[in-house]
Amino acid sequence: MKKIFITFEGGEGSGKSTQIELLKNYFLKKGLPVTLTREPGGSLICEQIRDVLKDGNNGKMGKVTELLLFSAARSQHAEDIIVPALDRGDIVISDRFYDSSIVYQGYARGLGEKLVREVTKIAIGNLEPTLTLYLNIDPELAFKRKNGPDNDRFEKAGLDFHIQVRNAYINLAKKEKRIKVIDASKRIEEVFASIVKVIEDKIQI
Ligand code: TYD
């Protein structure tokens, strides 16, 4: 049985959740089973770890603690949700996966890609997405798009941090064939059309 595991990556206000929902419906309309999940989160333990990671009062959290918590959540997420769903034959779509750790903890926080990959290996072994869609948008434009206050630790990080995140994703996509860069500055339907094109091109269902 073919296992199809699609991950989405992208910063604040890139329209990730909207596109994920559209892709889920695209597969469901074709009669294909889909499991939708997200990181950090996905199951009870993961959601509890998510609360610690996102708590605006945890400003003092060290970089290594942060990496280990994301990785712990990921390990549990793989065990509870991703692997069983792939084994059942579902198409799994995850809002973020380990590329987020490479980019945020490895590059933006400065722990390095090598260390993040080592920890990731401990957390999830060889589990790898079939395809990763990175929704690329200028962080300034993305900040303008989104509304509501910036309360959590990541939203508070500021523009420079998000520019670094974007550059890291673009560089990672140059090295990894699995990662496709999607121009997310366009209208919702246009962005989704580019996603469908990549899916039809790269995934044999
Ligand atoms: P979330 O509210 O899910 O944001 P988004 O809508 O941007 O996905 O918050 C997740 C935040 O955690 C996001 O800013 C990215 C960050 N993150 C990491 O730093 N490392 C990781 O491994 C993951 C999964 C997320």
Side-chain angles (χ1 to χ4, degrees), residues 8-12 16-17 20 36-59 61 65-77 94-97 100 104-105 109 146 151-155:
F8 277 77
E9 299 286 343
E12 244 10 83
K16 205 158 38 80
S17 342
I20 288 174
L36 195 64
T37 187
R38 68 162 183 184
E39 285 204 353
S43 73
L44 182 61
I45 297 173
C46 307
E47 293 293 334
Q48 287 169 342
I49 300 175
R50 177 188 178 89
D51 291 343
V52 177
L53 279 161
K54 295 201 72 175
D55 191 335
N57 297 316
N58 287 342
M61 186 184 295
T65 305
E66 186 179 274
L67 170 64
L68 294 174
L69 284 176
F70 276 116
S71 304
R74 182 161 302 127
S75 177
Q76 194 70 37
H77 184 214
S94 183
D95 183 345
R96 298 190 180 279
F97 196 52
S100 286
Y104 285 80
Q105 283 65 56
R109 300 270 197 237
K146 81 183 262 287
N151 283 328
D152 78 36
R153 288 197 314 116
F154 290 91
E155 289 167 347

